[in-house]
Amino acid sequence: MFEFERPRTGERALLVHVNFPHQPDQDDQAEFVELARSAGVIAVDIMISNRPQPVAKTFIGKGKLEEVSELVKAREIEVVLFNHSLTPSQERNLESHLQCRVLDRTGLILDIFAQRAQSFEGKLQVELAQLKHLSTRLVRGWTHLERQKGGIGLRGPGETQLETDRRLLGKRIKYLNNRLAKVSSQRAQSRQARKKADIPTVSLVGYTNAGKSTLFNALTESNAYVADKLFATLDPTLRKLEIDDQLTIIMADTVGFIRHLPHDLVAAFRATMLETREADLILHVVDCADESRHEKIEAVNRVLEEIDADQVPQIMIYNKIDLPGFKARIDSDEQGLTWRVWLSAINRQGFDLLFGLLRSKFSEQQQYFSLRLKADEGEIRGFLFNRGAIDSEAYQNNGDIDLKLRISPSLLGQLHRKYQLIGERLVIQTDTLAGAA
Protein backbone atom coordinates (compact mmCIF):
# COMPACT_ATOMS: atom_id res chain seq x y z
CA MET A 1 0.00 0.00 0.00
CA PHE A 2 1.05 3.55 -0.61
CA GLU A 3 1.21 6.13 2.13
CA PHE A 4 -0.49 9.42 1.40
CA GLU A 5 0.57 12.81 2.66
CA ARG A 6 -2.54 13.53 4.70
CA PRO A 7 -2.79 15.94 7.61
CA ARG A 8 -3.23 14.17 10.93
CA THR A 9 -6.10 15.38 13.08
CA GLY A 10 -5.06 18.28 15.26
CA GLU A 11 -2.25 19.69 13.08
CA ARG A 12 -1.59 23.42 13.24
CA ALA A 13 -2.44 24.94 9.88
CA LEU A 14 -2.09 28.30 8.17
CA LEU A 15 -4.78 29.03 5.57
CA VAL A 16 -3.90 31.05 2.48
CA HIS A 17 -6.59 32.61 0.29
CA VAL A 18 -5.78 34.81 -2.72
CA ASN A 19 -8.35 37.08 -4.37
CA PHE A 20 -8.04 37.50 -8.13
CA PRO A 21 -10.37 40.42 -8.99
CA HIS A 22 -10.52 39.63 -12.70
CA GLN A 23 -11.29 35.91 -12.31
CA PRO A 24 -14.96 34.86 -12.06
CA ASP A 25 -16.26 31.90 -10.01
CA GLN A 26 -13.63 32.09 -7.27
CA ASP A 27 -13.70 29.78 -4.29
CA ASP A 28 -15.38 31.12 -1.17
CA GLN A 29 -13.20 32.11 1.78
CA ALA A 30 -15.74 31.05 4.45
CA GLU A 31 -16.15 27.69 2.74
CA PHE A 32 -12.37 27.23 2.81
CA VAL A 33 -12.35 27.74 6.59
CA GLU A 34 -15.16 25.19 6.88
CA LEU A 35 -13.21 22.70 4.75
CA ALA A 36 -10.22 23.05 7.07
CA ARG A 37 -12.45 22.52 10.10
CA SER A 38 -13.98 19.43 8.50
CA ALA A 39 -10.49 18.03 7.92
CA GLY A 40 -9.81 18.26 11.66
CA VAL A 41 -6.85 20.66 11.53
CA ILE A 42 -6.34 23.61 13.87
CA ALA A 43 -6.61 26.78 11.77
CA VAL A 44 -4.09 29.00 13.57
CA ASP A 45 -4.48 31.92 11.17
CA ILE A 46 -5.71 32.85 7.70
CA MET A 47 -3.72 35.02 5.32
CA ILE A 48 -5.59 36.87 2.58
CA SER A 49 -3.82 38.36 -0.42
CA ASN A 50 -4.84 40.19 -3.61
CA ARG A 51 -3.11 39.63 -6.93
CA PRO A 52 -3.98 40.26 -10.58
CA GLN A 53 -2.85 36.71 -11.44
CA PRO A 54 -0.90 33.79 -9.86
CA VAL A 55 2.91 33.71 -9.90
CA ALA A 56 4.06 30.79 -12.05
CA LYS A 57 6.77 29.60 -9.67
CA THR A 58 5.22 29.97 -6.18
CA PHE A 59 1.59 31.05 -6.85
CA ILE A 60 1.95 33.97 -4.39
CA GLY A 61 4.36 36.90 -4.73
CA LYS A 62 7.82 37.14 -3.15
CA GLY A 63 6.74 39.57 -0.42
CA LYS A 64 3.74 37.51 0.61
CA LEU A 65 5.87 34.35 0.49
CA GLU A 66 8.30 35.86 3.02
CA GLU A 67 5.39 36.94 5.18
CA VAL A 68 4.00 33.37 5.15
CA SER A 69 7.48 31.97 5.92
CA GLU A 70 7.87 34.21 8.99
CA LEU A 71 4.40 33.29 10.22
CA VAL A 72 5.14 29.57 9.80
CA LYS A 73 8.20 29.87 12.03
CA ALA A 74 6.62 32.19 14.61
CA ARG A 75 3.38 30.20 15.03
CA GLU A 76 4.91 26.71 14.67
CA ILE A 77 2.79 25.94 11.62
CA GLU A 78 2.91 22.30 10.45
CA VAL A 79 0.95 22.54 7.20
CA VAL A 80 0.01 25.43 4.90
CA LEU A 81 -3.33 25.03 3.11
CA PHE A 82 -4.10 26.92 -0.10
CA ASN A 83 -7.67 27.57 -1.22
CA HIS A 84 -6.59 27.03 -4.82
CA SER A 85 -5.30 24.33 -7.14
CA LEU A 86 -1.49 24.29 -7.18
CA THR A 87 0.73 22.68 -9.80
CA PRO A 88 3.19 20.01 -8.61
CA SER A 89 6.11 22.40 -9.18
CA GLN A 90 4.40 25.16 -7.17
CA GLU A 91 3.88 22.75 -4.27
CA ARG A 92 7.56 21.70 -4.41
CA ASN A 93 8.79 25.29 -4.53
CA LEU A 94 6.53 26.38 -1.68
CA GLU A 95 7.56 23.45 0.51
CA SER A 96 11.22 24.09 -0.21
CA HIS A 97 10.91 27.74 0.85
CA LEU A 98 8.53 27.28 3.79
CA GLN A 99 10.13 24.07 5.10
CA CYS A 100 6.75 22.54 5.90
CA ARG A 101 4.09 20.61 4.05
CA VAL A 102 1.80 22.39 1.59
CA LEU A 103 -1.61 21.16 0.48
CA ASP A 104 -3.85 22.72 -2.14
CA ARG A 105 -7.67 22.68 -2.20
CA THR A 106 -7.78 19.38 -4.08
CA GLY A 107 -5.48 17.68 -1.56
CA LEU A 108 -7.58 19.03 1.31
CA ILE A 109 -10.83 17.68 -0.16
CA LEU A 110 -9.17 14.32 -0.83
CA ASP A 111 -8.08 14.21 2.81
CA ILE A 112 -11.62 14.82 4.03
CA PHE A 113 -12.91 12.07 1.75
CA ALA A 114 -10.23 9.71 3.10
CA GLN A 115 -11.42 10.38 6.66
CA ARG A 116 -15.11 9.91 5.80
CA ALA A 117 -14.96 6.72 3.69
CA GLN A 118 -16.48 3.82 5.61
CA SER A 119 -17.59 1.24 3.04
CA PHE A 120 -15.28 -0.98 1.02
CA GLU A 121 -16.37 0.75 -2.18
CA GLY A 122 -15.86 4.22 -0.71
CA LYS A 123 -12.33 3.39 0.40
CA LEU A 124 -11.50 2.03 -3.06
CA GLN A 125 -12.81 5.19 -4.70
CA VAL A 126 -10.90 7.51 -2.38
CA GLU A 127 -7.66 5.57 -2.81
CA LEU A 128 -8.02 5.69 -6.59
CA ALA A 129 -8.54 9.47 -6.52
CA GLN A 130 -5.57 9.89 -4.17
CA LEU A 131 -3.29 7.79 -6.35
CA LYS A 132 -4.21 9.74 -9.48
CA HIS A 133 -3.52 12.98 -7.65
CA LEU A 134 -0.29 11.60 -6.18
CA SER A 135 0.99 10.32 -9.53
CA THR A 136 1.54 13.89 -10.75
CA ARG A 137 3.42 14.76 -7.56
CA LEU A 138 5.64 11.69 -7.13
CA VAL A 139 8.74 13.61 -8.15
CA ARG A 140 8.42 15.73 -4.99
CA GLY A 141 9.69 12.85 -2.86
CA TRP A 142 12.45 11.76 -5.21
CA THR A 143 14.09 14.90 -6.58
CA HIS A 144 17.53 13.35 -5.99
CA LEU A 145 16.61 10.53 -8.40
CA GLU A 146 15.11 12.53 -11.24
CA ARG A 147 18.12 11.85 -13.47
CA GLN A 148 20.00 8.61 -14.11
CA LYS A 149 23.27 8.78 -12.21
CA GLY A 150 26.49 8.91 -14.21
CA GLY A 151 30.15 8.41 -13.43
CA ILE A 152 32.32 5.61 -12.05
CA GLY A 153 30.31 3.11 -10.02
CA LEU A 154 27.00 4.91 -10.56
CA ARG A 155 25.97 3.58 -13.97
CA GLY A 156 23.51 0.70 -14.15
CA PRO A 157 20.78 -0.83 -16.31
CA GLY A 158 18.11 -0.70 -13.62
CA GLU A 159 15.27 1.80 -13.30
CA THR A 160 15.39 4.72 -10.87
CA GLN A 161 13.34 4.69 -7.66
CA LEU A 162 11.05 7.26 -9.28
CA GLU A 163 10.39 4.94 -12.23
CA THR A 164 9.78 2.03 -9.85
CA ASP A 165 7.24 4.02 -7.88
CA ARG A 166 5.47 5.13 -11.06
CA ARG A 167 5.25 1.53 -12.25
CA LEU A 168 3.87 0.33 -8.89
CA LEU A 169 1.42 3.24 -8.85
CA GLY A 170 0.20 2.29 -12.32
CA LYS A 171 -0.33 -1.34 -11.25
CA ARG A 172 -2.29 -0.29 -8.17
CA ILE A 173 -4.47 2.12 -10.19
CA LYS A 174 -5.23 -0.64 -12.69
CA TYR A 175 -6.16 -3.01 -9.85
CA LEU A 176 -8.48 -0.43 -8.25
CA ASN A 177 -10.17 0.29 -11.58
CA ASN A 178 -10.85 -3.42 -12.03
CA ARG A 179 -12.31 -3.77 -8.52
CA LEU A 180 -14.51 -0.70 -9.01
CA ALA A 181 -15.70 -2.08 -12.36
CA LYS A 182 -16.99 -5.15 -10.49
CA VAL A 183 -18.71 -2.92 -7.92
CA SER A 184 -20.27 -0.93 -10.74
CA SER A 185 -21.55 -4.17 -12.29
CA GLN A 186 -23.12 -5.20 -8.97
CA ARG A 187 -24.80 -1.81 -8.62
CA ALA A 188 -26.14 -2.13 -12.17
CA GLN A 189 -27.69 -5.50 -11.28
CA SER A 190 -29.34 -3.97 -8.20
CA ARG A 191 -30.76 -1.11 -10.30
CA GLN A 192 -32.06 -3.60 -12.86
CA ALA A 193 -33.77 -5.61 -10.10
CA ARG A 194 -35.49 -2.45 -8.84
CA LYS A 195 -36.67 -1.63 -12.34
CA LYS A 196 -38.08 -5.15 -12.75
CA ALA A 197 -39.90 -4.77 -9.45
CA ASP A 198 -41.27 -1.46 -10.78
CA ILE A 199 -39.87 0.56 -7.84
CA PRO A 200 -38.96 4.15 -8.79
CA THR A 201 -35.74 5.68 -7.45
CA VAL A 202 -35.47 9.24 -6.11
CA SER A 203 -31.98 10.64 -5.58
CA LEU A 204 -31.18 13.42 -3.10
CA VAL A 205 -28.46 15.73 -4.37
CA GLY A 206 -27.24 19.14 -3.29
CA TYR A 207 -24.33 21.24 -2.15
CA THR A 208 -22.46 19.78 0.78
CA ASN A 209 -24.03 20.58 4.18
CA ALA A 210 -27.39 21.55 2.65
CA GLY A 211 -29.23 19.09 4.91
CA LYS A 212 -29.62 16.08 2.58
CA SER A 213 -28.87 13.43 5.22
CA THR A 214 -31.15 15.12 7.78
CA LEU A 215 -33.96 15.09 5.21
CA PHE A 216 -33.14 11.50 4.24
CA ASN A 217 -33.31 10.35 7.88
CA ALA A 218 -36.57 12.21 8.51
CA LEU A 219 -38.24 10.77 5.39
CA THR A 220 -37.06 7.16 5.75
CA GLU A 221 -36.69 7.01 9.56
CA SER A 222 -33.05 6.01 9.11
CA ASN A 223 -29.91 6.89 11.03
CA ALA A 224 -27.49 7.97 8.29
CA TYR A 225 -24.56 9.94 9.72
CA VAL A 226 -25.36 13.64 10.12
CA ALA A 227 -22.90 16.34 11.18
CA ASP A 228 -22.46 20.07 10.70
CA LYS A 229 -19.43 19.43 8.52
CA LEU A 230 -18.71 19.45 4.81
CA PHE A 231 -18.91 15.99 3.20
CA ALA A 232 -20.47 14.36 6.28
CA THR A 233 -21.99 11.82 3.87
CA LEU A 234 -19.65 9.99 1.53
CA ASP A 235 -21.00 6.47 1.08
CA PRO A 236 -24.40 6.36 -0.68
CA THR A 237 -27.33 5.04 1.34
CA LEU A 238 -30.52 3.57 -0.15
CA ARG A 239 -33.76 3.05 1.79
CA LYS A 240 -37.36 2.22 0.95
CA LEU A 241 -39.92 4.97 1.49
CA GLU A 242 -43.63 4.09 1.53
CA ILE A 243 -45.57 7.08 0.23
CA ASP A 244 -48.91 5.26 0.71
CA ASP A 245 -50.37 1.75 0.34
CA GLN A 246 -50.02 1.96 -3.43
CA LEU A 247 -46.62 3.61 -3.86
CA THR A 248 -43.17 2.65 -2.58
CA ILE A 249 -40.00 4.36 -3.79
CA ILE A 250 -36.27 3.95 -3.20
CA MET A 251 -34.66 7.05 -1.69
CA ALA A 252 -30.91 7.49 -2.29
CA ASP A 253 -28.72 9.79 -0.17
CA THR A 254 -25.56 10.80 -2.04
CA VAL A 255 -22.28 12.61 -1.48
CA GLY A 256 -22.55 16.39 -1.33
CA PHE A 257 -21.20 18.46 -4.21
CA ILE A 258 -18.92 21.46 -4.01
CA ARG A 259 -17.53 24.10 -6.35
CA HIS A 260 -14.51 22.88 -8.29
CA LEU A 261 -14.92 19.29 -7.11
CA PRO A 262 -11.65 17.58 -8.11
CA HIS A 263 -11.95 15.76 -11.44
CA ASP A 264 -10.17 12.71 -10.02
CA LEU A 265 -12.90 12.45 -7.38
CA VAL A 266 -15.68 12.79 -9.94
CA ALA A 267 -14.05 10.06 -12.04
CA ALA A 268 -13.44 7.75 -9.07
CA PHE A 269 -16.99 8.18 -7.76
CA ARG A 270 -18.65 7.78 -11.15
CA ALA A 271 -20.00 4.33 -10.19
CA THR A 272 -21.60 5.76 -7.05
CA MET A 273 -22.98 8.76 -8.92
CA LEU A 274 -24.71 6.43 -11.39
CA GLU A 275 -27.40 6.10 -8.71
CA THR A 276 -28.18 9.72 -9.52
CA ARG A 277 -27.86 9.37 -13.29
CA GLU A 278 -30.20 6.35 -13.35
CA ALA A 279 -32.75 7.85 -10.94
CA ASP A 280 -36.35 8.52 -11.99
CA LEU A 281 -36.33 11.86 -10.15
CA ILE A 282 -33.73 14.14 -8.54
CA LEU A 283 -34.58 16.16 -5.43
CA HIS A 284 -32.07 19.03 -5.39
CA VAL A 285 -31.76 20.08 -1.72
CA VAL A 286 -30.88 23.74 -1.07
CA ASP A 287 -30.29 25.68 2.15
CA CYS A 288 -32.94 28.39 1.68
CA ALA A 289 -31.21 30.72 4.16
CA ASP A 290 -27.83 30.56 2.41
CA GLU A 291 -27.06 33.90 0.73
CA SER A 292 -24.89 32.17 -1.90
CA ARG A 293 -27.49 29.48 -2.69
CA HIS A 294 -27.81 30.48 -6.35
CA GLU A 295 -24.08 30.02 -6.98
CA LYS A 296 -24.23 26.67 -5.19
CA ILE A 297 -27.22 25.56 -7.27
CA GLU A 298 -25.18 26.31 -10.40
CA ALA A 299 -22.22 24.35 -9.00
CA VAL A 300 -24.40 21.29 -8.36
CA ASN A 301 -25.94 21.52 -11.83
CA ARG A 302 -22.45 21.62 -13.36
CA VAL A 303 -21.51 18.37 -11.59
CA LEU A 304 -24.82 16.78 -12.67
CA GLU A 305 -23.97 17.74 -16.24
CA GLU A 306 -20.49 16.27 -15.84
CA ILE A 307 -21.90 12.87 -14.77
CA ASP A 308 -24.60 12.98 -17.51
CA ALA A 309 -27.44 13.35 -14.99
CA ASP A 310 -28.65 16.75 -16.20
CA GLN A 311 -31.52 15.17 -18.21
CA VAL A 312 -33.09 13.51 -15.15
CA PRO A 313 -36.27 15.34 -14.00
CA GLN A 314 -35.39 17.63 -11.10
CA ILE A 315 -37.37 19.34 -8.33
CA MET A 316 -35.82 21.90 -5.99
CA ILE A 317 -36.21 21.29 -2.25
CA TYR A 318 -35.67 24.50 -0.27
CA ASN A 319 -34.75 23.14 3.17
CA LYS A 320 -34.44 24.78 6.62
CA ILE A 321 -37.69 26.81 6.60
CA ASP A 322 -37.73 26.33 10.39
CA LEU A 323 -35.66 29.52 10.40
CA PRO A 324 -37.71 32.74 10.80
CA GLY A 325 -39.25 34.28 7.70
CA PHE A 326 -40.06 31.10 5.75
CA LYS A 327 -43.11 28.85 5.42
CA ALA A 328 -44.02 25.58 3.75
CA ARG A 329 -45.29 25.99 0.22
CA ILE A 330 -45.05 24.76 -3.36
CA ASP A 331 -43.90 26.97 -6.26
CA SER A 332 -45.08 26.21 -9.79
CA ASP A 333 -44.06 27.56 -13.17
CA GLU A 334 -46.28 29.23 -15.81
CA GLN A 335 -47.43 25.82 -17.08
CA GLY A 336 -48.52 24.81 -13.59
CA LEU A 337 -45.69 22.33 -13.12
CA THR A 338 -44.16 22.14 -9.65
CA TRP A 339 -40.46 23.04 -9.59
CA ARG A 340 -39.80 23.93 -5.92
CA VAL A 341 -40.99 22.72 -2.50
CA TRP A 342 -40.25 24.63 0.72
CA LEU A 343 -39.90 22.39 3.80
CA SER A 344 -37.97 21.71 7.00
CA ALA A 345 -36.20 18.40 7.57
CA ILE A 346 -35.84 19.23 11.28
CA ASN A 347 -39.51 19.65 12.20
CA ARG A 348 -41.07 17.93 9.14
CA GLN A 349 -42.88 21.06 7.93
CA GLY A 350 -43.96 20.67 4.31
CA PHE A 351 -43.60 16.88 4.24
CA ASP A 352 -47.28 16.50 3.30
CA LEU A 353 -46.63 18.72 0.27
CA LEU A 354 -43.61 16.64 -0.76
CA PHE A 355 -45.47 13.34 -0.31
CA GLY A 356 -48.39 14.64 -2.34
CA LEU A 357 -46.00 15.74 -5.08
CA LEU A 358 -44.26 12.34 -5.19
CA ARG A 359 -47.62 10.58 -5.22
CA SER A 360 -48.77 12.72 -8.12
CA LYS A 361 -45.45 12.38 -9.97
CA PHE A 362 -45.35 8.60 -9.98
CA SER A 363 -49.10 7.93 -10.09
CA GLU A 364 -49.56 9.96 -13.26
CA GLN A 365 -47.56 7.29 -15.10
CA GLN A 366 -50.06 4.62 -14.04
CA GLN A 367 -53.16 3.42 -15.85
CA TYR A 368 -56.36 1.99 -14.42
CA PHE A 369 -57.65 -1.40 -15.59
CA SER A 370 -60.29 -3.97 -14.76
CA LEU A 371 -59.54 -7.69 -14.95
CA ARG A 372 -61.60 -10.83 -14.32
CA LEU A 373 -59.66 -13.83 -13.06
CA LYS A 374 -60.87 -17.39 -12.94
CA ALA A 375 -60.84 -19.34 -9.69
CA ASP A 376 -57.67 -21.23 -10.70
CA GLU A 377 -55.68 -18.04 -11.51
CA GLY A 378 -54.67 -17.25 -7.96
CA GLU A 379 -51.01 -16.94 -9.03
CA ILE A 380 -51.86 -13.88 -11.13
CA ARG A 381 -53.74 -12.30 -8.23
CA GLY A 382 -50.77 -12.93 -5.92
CA PHE A 383 -48.40 -11.35 -8.45
CA LEU A 384 -50.56 -8.20 -8.65
CA PHE A 385 -51.17 -8.08 -4.88
CA ASN A 386 -47.45 -8.25 -4.04
CA ARG A 387 -46.82 -5.24 -6.31
CA GLY A 388 -49.60 -3.14 -4.77
CA ALA A 389 -51.51 -2.99 -8.06
CA ILE A 390 -54.96 -4.01 -6.73
CA ASP A 391 -57.26 -1.12 -5.83
CA SER A 392 -60.30 -3.32 -5.11
CA GLU A 393 -61.63 -6.84 -5.73
CA ALA A 394 -65.03 -8.52 -5.82
CA TYR A 395 -65.76 -12.28 -5.77
CA GLN A 396 -68.46 -13.75 -8.02
CA ASN A 397 -70.69 -16.73 -7.19
CA ASN A 398 -68.83 -18.97 -9.67
CA GLY A 399 -65.47 -18.22 -8.00
CA ASP A 400 -64.28 -15.60 -10.51
CA ILE A 401 -62.62 -12.46 -9.14
CA ASP A 402 -63.21 -8.95 -10.57
CA LEU A 403 -60.17 -6.74 -9.94
CA LYS A 404 -59.73 -2.99 -10.22
CA LEU A 405 -56.04 -2.35 -10.95
CA ARG A 406 -53.59 0.56 -11.04
CA ILE A 407 -50.63 -0.43 -13.21
CA SER A 408 -47.47 1.35 -14.38
CA PRO A 409 -46.09 0.87 -17.92
CA SER A 410 -43.24 -1.38 -16.72
CA LEU A 411 -45.59 -3.59 -14.67
CA LEU A 412 -47.89 -3.79 -17.68
CA GLY A 413 -44.96 -5.14 -19.69
CA GLN A 414 -44.24 -7.74 -17.00
CA LEU A 415 -47.87 -8.89 -17.04
CA HIS A 416 -47.75 -9.29 -20.79
CA ARG A 417 -44.50 -11.28 -20.76
CA LYS A 418 -45.51 -13.48 -17.82
CA TYR A 419 -49.23 -14.06 -18.38
CA GLN A 420 -50.10 -12.64 -21.85
CA LEU A 421 -52.97 -10.65 -20.31
CA ILE A 422 -52.98 -7.64 -22.65
CA GLY A 423 -56.00 -7.83 -24.95
CA GLU A 424 -59.68 -8.38 -24.28
CA ARG A 425 -59.19 -9.46 -20.66
CA LEU A 426 -57.31 -6.36 -19.41
CA VAL A 427 -59.67 -3.43 -19.98
CA ILE A 428 -58.65 0.25 -19.57
CA GLN A 429 -60.97 2.18 -17.24
CA THR A 430 -61.17 5.62 -18.86
CA ASP A 431 -63.80 6.78 -16.39
CA THR A 432 -61.43 6.01 -13.50
CA LEU A 433 -58.66 7.96 -15.21
CA ALA A 434 -60.94 10.97 -15.62
CA GLY A 435 -61.94 10.75 -11.97
CA ALA A 436 -58.33 10.49 -10.87
CA ALA A 437 -57.36 13.53 -12.92
Side-chain angles (χ1 to χ4, degrees):
M1 287 291 289
F2 294 92
E3 293 186 8
F4 306 111
E5 297 184 68
R6 316 177 42 233
R8 299 177 303 277
T9 301
E11 279 186 306
R12 295 171 61 82
L14 172 65
L15 312 186
V16 178
H17 175 85
V18 183
N19 291 314
F20 300 104
H22 304 297
Q23 288 187 11
D25 193 28
Q26 296 190 58
D27 291 310
D28 184 68
Q29 177 185 326
E31 182 178 88
F32 178 40
V33 174
E34 189 63 27
L35 277 171
R37 186 179 76 87
S38 298
V41 300
I42 300 171
V44 176
D45 204 346
I46 181 168
M47 181 167 287
I48 300 172
S49 174
N50 294 286
R51 284 198 62 82
Q53 59 187 20
V55 176
K57 189 174 181 180
T58 55
F59 195 82
I60 53 178
K62 183 180 291 186
K64 188 60 66 174
L65 183 60
E66 290 302 324
E67 201 176 325
V68 171
S69 180
E70 291 174 7
L71 197 55
V72 165
K73 294 174 184 176
R75 304 294 295 274
E76 298 180 344
I77 301 296
E78 297 171 282
V79 60
V80 177
L81 304 176
F82 277 75
N83 192 25
H84 312 274
S85 292
L86 302 176
T87 66
S89 62
Q90 286 172 340
E91 281 193 8
R92 287 200 305 274
N93 293 333
L94 285 166
E95 287 187 340
S96 175
H97 191 91
L98 300 176
Q99 292 298 297
C100 72
R101 285 182 302 112
V102 173
L103 275 181
D104 66 355
R105 181 183 172 88
T106 298
L108 180 59
I109 293 175
L110 283 170
D111 177 82
I112 297 171
F113 270 61
Q115 293 182 46
R116 299 283 190 272
Q118 298 295 325
S119 70
F120 173 72
E121 178 189 6
K123 290 176 181 177
L124 285 179
Q125 290 169 322
V126 170
E127 185 183 354
L128 178 61
Q130 285 180 314
L131 287 176
K132 288 183 175 179
H133 184 66
L134 180 65
S135 63
T136 63
R137 286 156 168 76
L138 254 188
V139 68
R140 173 169 55 184
W142 298 103
T143 51
H144 61 295
L145 295 172
E146 283 185 274
R147 296 179 297 275
Q148 290 281 1
K149 296 289 191 298
I152 300 295
L154 295 177
R155 297 186 184 92
E159 60 187 356
T160 65
Q161 182 65 51
L162 177 59
E163 290 167 336
T164 302
D165 276 12
R166 281 178 175 159
R167 178 172 53 80
L168 293 174
L169 252 173
K171 287 180 66 176
R172 182 67 180 173
I173 288 174
K174 184 177 180 180
Y175 166 79
L176 291 173
N177 278 322
N178 289 337
R179 293 301 299 269
L180 284 172
K182 291 181 181 179
V183 173
S184 179
S185 176
Q186 292 167 354
R187 282 191 172 278
Q189 290 176 3
S190 298
R191 284 192 298 270
Q192 193 63 30
R194 293 199 296 270
K195 286 183 179 180
K196 284 186 177 180
D198 196 42
I199 302 177
T201 300
V202 176
S203 181
L204 291 176
V205 306
Y207 208 80
T208 183
N209 213 26
K212 295 184 306 303
S213 294
T214 303
L215 177 60
F216 178 83
N217 287 342
L219 288 172
T220 63
E221 299 181 357
S222 301
N223 57 352
Y225 178 68
V226 176
D228 185 21
K229 293 181 179 179
L230 302 184
F231 301 116
T233 300
L234 183 55
D235 298 306
T237 308
L238 282 75
R239 294 286 186 274
K240 277 188 177 181
L241 172 61
E242 293 186 359
I243 302 300
D244 55 31
D245 294 339
Q246 300 293 328
L247 178 61
T248 298
I249 66 174
I250 296 293
M251 185 71 70
D253 187 20
T254 60
V255 62
F257 298 157
I258 196 169
R259 272 177 292 203
H260 305 150
L261 193 64
H263 289 288
D264 288 339
L265 269 180
V266 174
F269 279 75
R270 188 166 288 274
T272 300
M273 291 176 175
L274 276 176
E275 294 294 349
T276 299
R277 197 177 82 181
E278 299 293 331
D280 298 284
L281 176 68
I282 289 175
L283 298 183
H284 183 163
V285 183
V286 178
D287 181 351
C288 69
D290 190 342
E291 295 180 356
S292 60
R293 61 183 179 273
H294 298 297
E295 291 84 356
K296 293 180 177 179
I297 289 172
E298 291 178 5
V300 171
N301 286 333
R302 280 196 295 272
V303 177
L304 290 175
E305 186 176 352
E306 192 170 347
I307 63 173
D308 302 321
D310 53 320
Q311 298 303 315
V312 179
Q314 182 182 136
I315 292 176
M316 307 296 296
I317 303 296
Y318 270 39
N319 187 26
K320 305 185 182 182
I321 65 166
D322 45 284
L323 299 172
F326 301 100
K327 64 178 182 179
R329 70 174 192 268
I330 283 181
D331 294 337
S332 302
D333 60 18
E334 295 177 353
Q335 285 74 40
L337 298 175
T338 299
W339 68 279
R340 183 167 59 191
V341 180
W342 297 70
L343 54 75
S344 169
I346 293 291
N347 58 24
R348 304 176 71 88
Q349 280 181 267
F351 274 28
D352 55 335
L353 299 177
L354 177 61
F355 275 55
L357 177 62
L358 293 173
R359 191 180 297 113
S360 170
K361 173 69 179 176
F362 293 111
S363 295
E364 69 186 14
Q365 302 174 7
Q366 297 177 324
Q367 292 179 291
Y368 293 83
F369 295 88
S370 64
L371 172 66
R372 173 165 289 192
L373 296 178
K374 299 185 182 301
D376 61 353
E377 293 182 312
E379 181 186 342
I380 300 176
R381 182 197 171 278
F383 176 84
L384 292 166
F385 181 83
N386 289 335
R387 284 154 182 78
I390 299 177
D391 271 348
S392 65
E393 53 186 351
Y395 288 83
Q396 305 301 318
N397 292 332
N398 63 356
D400 289 354
I401 312 173
D402 287 332
L403 301 177
K404 298 293 185 183
L405 307 174
R406 186 166 58 179
I407 302 176
S408 67
S410 60
L411 183 55
L412 193 62
Q414 292 178 51
L415 277 172
H416 178 60
R417 290 190 297 271
K418 195 172 180 68
Y419 302 111
Q420 291 76 47
L421 284 179
I422 295 180
E424 296 181 0
R425 296 188 63 188
L426 202 60
V427 181
I428 295 180
Q429 298 297 294
T430 54
D431 57 329
T432 310
L433 278 172

